[in-house]
Amino acid sequence: MIPDPAGTPETPVCSRKGCRSDAAWRLLWNNPKIHTPERRKTWLACDEHRAWLEDYLRQRLLWRETLPLTEAAS
């Protein structure tokens, strides 16, 4: 998340390196070598980088679920 200079709540941004776009998706993952099965880590993704980040996690057998980012989740 990046701080908002106006003092309003922070805006979730994409987790892709160098991207500052607003996030629209939550990619839930865990590393079974170090996390318990129920633990979920979260990466945020914009529409442009959702597939790239999901593919990255899938190739490493870390991806668990992709969900839309909602106000309740932020």
Side-chain angles (χ1 to χ4, degrees):
M1 296 212 201
I2 56 173
D4 184 341
T8 56
E10 295 177 341
T11 304
V13 296
C14 182
S15 297
R16 176 77 161 107
K17 185 176 181 178
C19 183
R20 303 283 19 100
S21 297
D22 291 346
W25 301 95
R26 293 182 296 143
L27 284 74
L28 306 180
W29 63 277
N30 83 344
N31 183 339
K33 293 180 181 178
I34 60 174
H35 300 131
T36 59
E38 65 278 353
R39 171 104 187 252
R40 292 294 181 265
K41 304 282 284 181
T42 303
W43 280 356
L44 301 177
C46 64
D47 287 330
E48 181 181 349
H49 293 118
R50 174 189 173 186
W52 190 95
L53 290 166
E54 193 172 299
D55 184 55
Y56 180 93
L57 292 169
R58 283 179 187 265
Q59 286 183 18
R60 289 154 182 82
L61 305 176
L62 304 175
W63 180 84
R64 299 296 174 255
E65 187 175 17
T66 299
L67 301 170
L69 180 68
T70 62
E71 289 300 317
S74 56

